[in-house]
Amino acid sequence: MSILVNKDTKVIVQGFTGSEGTFHAEQCMAYGTQIVGGVTPGKGGQTHLGKPVFNTVKEAVAATGATVSMVFVPPAFVADAVMEAAEAGIELAVIITEGAPVRDMQKAKAHAVKHGMMTIGPNCPGIITAEECKIGIMPGNIFKKGKVGLISKSGTLTYEASNQVVKEGLGITTAVGIGGDPIIGLSYKQLLPMFEADPETEAIVMIGEIGGDLEIQAAKFIKENIKKPVVAFIAGQTAPKGKRMGHAGAIVSGSAGTAKEKTDALEAAGVKVVVSPAEIGKAVKEVLS
Amino acid sequence: MNIHEYQAKQIFKEYGVPTPRGIVANTPDEAVKAAQELGGSIWVVKAQIHAGGRGLGGGVKLAKSTEEVRELASQIIGMNLVTHQTGPEGKLVQKVYIEEGVDIKDEFYLGVVLDRAKEMPVIMASTEGGMEIEKVAEETPEKIVKVAVDPAIGFQGFHGRELVFGLGITDKNEQKNFMKFAQKLFKVYMDKDAELIEINPLVRTGSGEFIALDAKMGFDDSALFRHPEIEEMRDISEEDPDEREAAQYGLSYVSLDGEIGCMVNGAGLAMGTMDTINYMGGTPANFLDVGGKATAETVAKGFEIILRNPNVKSIFVNIFGGIVRCDRIANGILEATKMVDVKVPVVVRLDGTNAAEAAEILKNANIENVIAATDLADGAKKAVAAAKGEL
């Protein structure tokens, strides 16, 4: 078991024939992901990486039965691509693209919600179910099968956390990189209950950062709904106020969105919060013993 | 990206958002000419820097004659203005904005920002104009009216009514004026891909008009590609030169006041590295994300920028290779040591894709000052020890 994606998930790639799309689609296929085709407007009818290329998502879905789309479309056009996927009946769009305008993502997400499509990202590493299905840009070899679910705003911290968890002999069920933009798709609050319901997941790691209040919402949700142990790390305890720390959403505005505020809320909800990401592996081992 | 008050007001004017008449000036002579052109008998001389609190810092002054305009302009242009937002080092004033005087009855606050929880823009208004909105939010939150506007429907009449009734504006004519003002401001926010608009104060005149006495605008950097007119307003002198140079090389850099330089891939891990250094008893000198496409050249540039900071006593290179291959970073470090004179100890932790090859490269190169670390904790510990001269 796992959440959202597994070895049977059929995936198309939007922005299939571009350099990023090509490179990562190849990597995903090598990992075992069922990439069944892709979309590049104007290149319909061609074959790429041995898979069919379509002009529209609608055609791709009709021909392949894909339910998930991995989106590598450039920032200026990514909202368009996501809205197209929503109307074509895609169930989950994993948006890797970095640098999408906030206004565009607001519109695209609202449209996705209206059509019942889930989104992950943008500006994220994607989602991976260990040793089954990788939809994204993470190095697959780090994610060994196990019993820990992972939700993270940061790509490299996801790798760091997974690596530690694996070194402790525990492994990962599914890891979801939710992205660090101001407006994102699935977040802690939606993903936590999925891990709670997944029989193979025994503990959950959540990695957050400064900015916004998703971690605070998560804390409230955990307190009331999550029985499995949760380990958390909030990046940016040492970040100055009012400065954007790499991610578009990682900024403390005024006194809101600080690491301390989030840490306090999570601790009050019974979450084990570590002060350094170097402690994540050990903490997971501890909560599971 | 942020712009100056006079630039924001230029945009306001295009959209019919009422502002006082004003002219920007680079010299006292230009300031006098501006005052003469504006006419009248009272002017405001306002320092143009990207920071709030200019009035309290002595950057906004009232002049009652053109001689006084000249005098104040010569004081303010070239002054180092310190406000609560500039930090103790302050900011050099290079321009002033000369504005006509306004008949002020009372002052409001009006802003538009993104509400991340609601995932839509929210208009914030308050009767406590002139005060810091943060403070109002903390001390008297009931005095802030918040109205979220779904972009799918745009600014409707009911949004306007919620604002005016919430603010206690009772005069019919004033209600109409305020609603029009807010509607136009919302259009500016949407059209220009603004991240934030703040008018503090927004004044009500004796005749019941609403005028933007101040104006602050920030924009979504990711949307600048479709706003060349905004990009043209960029004032490079307002930006940190190191941060700007780093950005040109695809590096995301923020200077801090500690002693340990950091070079990391990924924003989250970069923050996590700073936090770990802090946890181990050290202080980070900077945030630096080398991004997903690090090359020898960008790594060398990263070292150069980090080492410009005289407080740096050691450097911690922390890379978890995914897309970024560790061997490439290792070669980058070798290149960097040839291009830049790295005098402080460099602790290197390379994990993930091609980590073994990278370790081999560094070992064979046998560079003085380079210390290998096995993991994040080990690296942070060694970087802290090195900064203290204990390694």
Side-chain angles (χ1 to χ4, degrees):
Chain A
M1 287 293 283
S2 55
I3 68 163
L4 290 166
V5 300
N6 58 35
K7 60 184 187 332
D8 301 318
T9 306
K10 286 183 179 165
V11 183
I12 54 161
V13 183
Q14 285 177 266
F16 191 29
T17 56
S19 63
E20 296 274 303
T22 302
F23 176 79
H24 291 293
E26 233 172 348
Q27 300 281 314
C28 291
M29 286 158 84
Y31 194 77
T33 308
Q34 283 203 47
I35 304 279
V36 293
V39 177
T40 299
K43 294 196 175 172
Q46 297 182 11
T47 301
H48 185 63
L49 307 178
K51 304 290 170 190
V53 183
F54 302 90
N55 284 322
T56 66
V57 181
K58 231 171 237 164
E59 288 169 350
V61 169
T64 64
T67 55
V68 176
S69 175
M70 173 162 72
V71 185
F72 282 100
V73 174
F77 314 105
V78 66
D80 178 9
V82 172
M83 293 187 284
E84 182 188 357
E87 292 204 14
I90 288 287
E91 291 166 15
L92 170 68
V94 182
I95 313 159
I96 308 299
T97 309
E98 182 180 351
V102 172
R103 194 82 73 250
D104 293 9
M105 287 323 297
Q106 192 274 336
K107 189 162 73 174
K109 190 183 171 189
H111 199 67
V113 169
K114 187 172 160 190
H115 287 270
M117 179 178 81
M118 295 181 284
T119 53
I120 293 176
N123 189 16
C124 76
I127 175 169
I128 183 167
T129 288
E131 294 168 34
E132 288 193 34
C133 178
K134 164 178 122 127
I135 304 173
I137 60 174
M138 59 288 268
N141 59 315
I142 301 166
F143 298 84
K144 301 278 184 269
K145 214 173 188 50
K147 50 189 175 185
V148 179
L150 218 160
I151 311 168
S152 170
K153 275 187 178 175
S154 148
T156 37
L157 275 179
T158 310
Y159 316 158
E160 178 73 49
S162 175
N163 194 46
Q164 288 179 31
V165 167
V166 169
K167 274 187 183 160
E168 295 289 345
L170 294 165
I172 299 291
T173 49
T174 301
V176 190
I178 60 175
D181 271 12
I183 289 184
I184 58 172
L186 295 179
S187 172
Y188 308 108
K189 211 173 143 181
Q190 292 84 39
L191 293 161
L192 285 163
M194 297 185 198
F195 279 123
E196 180 79 7
D198 173 36
E200 270 178 21
T201 300
E202 291 177 21
I204 305 162
V205 174
M206 64 170 270
I207 296 168
E209 64 191 21
I210 52 167
D213 75 336
L214 293 175
E215 294 84 353
I216 308 271
Q217 291 181 34
K220 284 185 198 144
F221 187 85
I222 290 168
K223 199 169 188 176
E224 286 160 20
N225 303 289
I226 303 296
K227 306 273 177 294
K228 292 179 182 175
V230 181
V231 171
F233 170 68
I234 304 294
Q237 301 150 48
T238 48
K241 276 186 183 180
K243 277 279 186 185
R244 186 159 276 128
M245 306 303 276
H247 288 155
I251 180 165
V252 174
S253 354
S255 53
T258 61
K260 170 131 192 1
E261 177 192 18
K262 296 182 180 196
T263 301
D264 290 351
L266 287 163
E267 278 178 345
V271 172
K272 180 160 181 63
V273 186
V274 295
V275 285
S276 159
E279 313 276 305
I280 294 171
K282 265 183 272 171
V284 175
K285 181 119 194 170
E286 220 177 283
V287 297
L288 278 176
S289 61
Chain B
M1 180 191 139
N2 296 322
I3 58 174
H4 289 294
E5 173 197 2
Y6 77 93
Q7 295 168 318
K9 285 182 170 170
Q10 210 171 296
I11 298 173
F12 283 11
K13 276 181 200 135
E14 287 166 29
Y15 281 79
V17 175
T19 61
R21 291 184 307 129
I23 297 169
V24 71
N26 294 294
T27 64
D29 279 345
E30 281 181 28
V32 170
K33 226 179 110 209
Q36 285 164 347
E37 213 177 308
L38 290 167
S41 58
I42 191 160
W43 299 272
V44 190
V45 182
K46 308 172 90 174
Q48 298 295 294
I49 56 164
H50 288 184
R54 290 171 299 162
L56 288 173
V60 179
K61 293 259 167 78
L62 204 65
K64 289 183 175 142
S65 66
T66 49
E67 292 82 63
E68 216 180 333
V69 168
R70 178 185 301 280
E71 202 180 298
L72 292 171
S74 12
Q75 278 172 24
I76 295 174
I77 297 173
M79 87 185 276
N80 201 48
L81 187 52
V82 180
T83 81
H84 69 283
Q85 285 185 2
T86 59
E89 67 280 9
K91 266 187 178 172
L92 179 70
V93 182
Q94 291 172 318
K95 285 182 169 71
V96 288
Y97 192 47
I98 311 298
E99 237 176 23
E100 62 179 356
V102 176
D103 161 31
I104 301 172
K105 189 181 156 206
D106 49 11
E107 300 186 340
F108 292 82
Y109 169 95
L110 187 65
V112 191
V113 289
L114 175 74
D115 184 325
R116 288 170 63 169
K118 289 203 172 77
E119 300 186 338
M120 49 180 87
V122 61
I123 300 178
M124 306 214 309
S126 167
T127 51
E128 306 299 287
M131 269 184 69
E132 241 185 280
I133 197 68
E134 290 286 333
K135 224 177 190 170
V136 181
E138 218 167 277
E139 291 165 9
T140 48
E142 71 282 0
K143 288 188 174 160
I144 299 178
V145 184
K146 287 186 186 176
V147 178
V149 181
D150 184 346
I153 61 168
F155 190 95
Q156 299 290 328
F158 76 90
H159 295 125
R161 292 193 292 277
E162 277 181 34
L163 287 169
V164 295
F165 290 118
L167 291 170
I169 298 171
T170 49
D171 179 85
K172 278 255 155 41
N173 190 43
E174 288 184 4
Q175 287 181 341
K176 207 176 77 194
N177 287 340
F178 191 92
M179 286 199 262
K180 253 195 227 157
F181 189 106
Q183 182 175 21
K184 286 174 184 163
L185 195 70
F186 185 75
K187 186 163 167 54
V188 173
Y189 184 85
M190 293 305 294
D191 280 7
K192 297 294 181 188
D193 277 291
E195 183 176 81
L196 162 136
I197 302 183
E198 246 185 350
I199 302 175
N200 195 15
L202 164 74
V203 301
R204 174 159 55 186
T205 66
S207 54
E209 302 289 326
F210 290 91
I211 298 179
L213 208 57
D214 193 15
K216 184 178 171 190
M217 282 188 87
F219 300 88
D220 176 3
D221 290 334
S222 296
L224 285 175
F225 69 88
R226 59 189 173 207
H227 297 290
E229 80 287 3
I230 303 292
E231 184 63 59
E232 250 174 49
M233 293 181 169
R234 188 184 287 276
D235 181 352
I236 297 174
S237 69
E238 286 283 340
E239 294 173 14
D240 181 295
D242 288 337
E243 289 177 20
R244 191 172 165 76
E245 187 182 347
Q248 284 163 350
Y249 286 82
L251 307 169
S252 179
Y253 174 85
V254 177
S255 165
L256 303 168
D257 44 20
E259 295 182 339
I260 300 169
C262 303
M263 188 182 310
V264 189
N265 66 324
L269 187 58
M271 281 187 274
T273 302
M274 285 157 44
D275 295 343
T276 306
I277 287 170
N278 182 54
Y279 176 54
M280 300 286 183
T283 51
N286 65 277
F287 166 94
L288 175 62
D289 172 8
V290 295
K293 295 185 181 80
T295 62
E297 197 200 4
T298 55
V299 170
K301 184 51 78 173
F303 273 112
E304 192 190 316
I305 293 171
I306 289 172
L307 286 164
R308 256 180 229 158
N309 177 350
N311 298 332
V312 169
K313 298 214 168 69
S314 71
I315 296 176
F316 181 19
V317 179
N318 182 23
I319 304 291
F320 202 108
I323 304 312
V324 175
R325 286 168 23 205
C326 292
D327 54 331
R328 211 187 272 175
I329 298 286
N331 280 320
I333 295 170
L334 295 193
E335 282 301 310
T337 52
K338 285 178 207 152
M339 288 149 84
V340 194
D341 187 13
V342 184
K343 285 202 175 104
V344 300
V346 180
V347 177
V348 181
R349 180 265 180 142
L350 298 167
D351 210 335
T353 311
N354 293 4
E357 289 89 330
E360 197 63 22
I361 290 169
L362 286 177
K363 205 174 137 201
N364 291 340
N366 197 20
I367 323 164
E368 203 189 346
N369 272 349
V370 172
I371 302 155
T374 53
D375 58 25
L376 172 55
D378 181 50
K381 211 178 289 167
K382 283 177 174 160
V384 172
K388 289 178 179 159
E390 293 164 1
L391 205 72

